[in-house]
């Protein structure tokens, strides 16, 4: 009787493999998932920072605009409680509020005007961006404009009298 023996395999032939093991695939997919999660978090942080910067820039423009209107006005500046205001960008959906505080400055005859603007979240909560600007101006109630007008009239009279002589 003839028997056939199994071919004699060497150890090096059995040790050779083709492809990846299941453990290697699970490890690779886990590393890929973790790195994608970290990248998503970084992208989200960057997006939030960009939105906050845009809202801060708009708050600054609103504050400067409101302060310019106060300074140009002939009337004495008045305190304004927290009030809603339209954003500078018509496409913006962020609600903005502004407030004006007028207090006497540390120098007599001067007023400190502080304009504060905040960008609020649509659902309420803490503001996403806040900007304040303070400017000092001469108190219009002092009557310095009237005094300057009187002084100019006196000078004109003096000039008129000296020209007549």
């Amino acid at each position: 009787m003839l028997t056939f023996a199994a071919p004699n395999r060497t150890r090096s032939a059995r040790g050779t493999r083709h492809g990846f093991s299941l453990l290697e695939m699970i490890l690779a997919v886990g590393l890929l998932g973790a790195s994608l999660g970290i990248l998503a978090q970084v992208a989200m942080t960057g997006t939030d920072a960009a939105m906050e910067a845009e809202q801060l820039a708009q708050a600054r423009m609103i504050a400067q605009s409101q302060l310019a209107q106060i300074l140009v006005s002939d009337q004495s500046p008045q305190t304004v409680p927290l009030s809603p205001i339209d954003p500078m960008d018509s496409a913006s959906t962020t609600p903005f509020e502004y407030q004006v505080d007028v207090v006497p400055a540390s120098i007599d005859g001067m007023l400190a005007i502080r304009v504060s603007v905040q960008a609020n979240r649509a659902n309420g909560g803490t503001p996403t961006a806040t900007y304040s600007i303070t400017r000092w101006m001469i108190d219009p109630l002092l009557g310095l404009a009237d005094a300057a007008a009187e002084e100019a009239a006196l000078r004109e009279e003096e000039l008129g009298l000296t020209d007549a002589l």
Side-chain angles (χ1 to χ4, degrees):
M1 158 154 111
L2 274 212
T3 60
F4 289 75
N8 205 1
R9 293 187 183 168
T10 62
R11 189 171 253 289
S12 63
R14 270 190 255 154
T16 308
R17 57 188 181 142
H18 303 285
F20 298 102
S21 70
L22 181 60
L23 180 62
E24 290 172 328
M25 290 302 292
I26 290 173
L27 184 62
V29 169
L31 287 174
L32 179 65
S35 60
L36 286 176
I38 291 170
L39 286 175
Q41 186 67 29
V42 168
M44 203 157 160
T45 302
T47 302
D48 289 345
M51 286 179 61
E52 184 179 331
E54 177 189 352
Q55 291 169 354
L56 185 61
Q58 283 193 44
R60 191 177 98 222
M61 288 190 295
I62 291 169
Q64 289 174 342
S65 173
Q66 291 299 316
L67 183 61
Q69 287 178 5
I70 291 169
L71 295 175
V72 169
S73 174
D74 292 339
Q75 299 174 355
S76 180
Q78 300 294 321
T79 298
V80 177
L82 201 59
S83 306
I85 190 166
D86 293 331
M88 298 300 271
D89 182 8
S90 61
S92 177
T93 59
T94 304
F96 286 90
E97 292 180 324
Y98 82 104
Q99 176 177 347
V100 178
D101 296 316
V102 180
V103 295
S106 58
I107 299 174
D108 288 337
M110 299 291 284
L111 294 176
I113 302 168
R114 180 183 174 112
V115 179
S116 302
V117 178
Q118 64 185 23
N120 297 321
R121 298 180 194 279
N123 58 0
T126 60
T128 55
T130 303
Y131 184 81
S132 296
I133 186 169
T134 303
R135 174 103 184 247
W136 285 19
M137 70 177 280
I138 297 172
D139 188 354
L141 298 178
L142 274 179
L144 294 180
D146 296 336
E150 287 178 20
E151 184 179 331
L154 287 174
R155 283 188 188 160
E156 286 179 14
E157 278 183 31
E158 287 176 4
L159 287 174
L161 290 177
T162 55
D163 289 340
L165 293 175

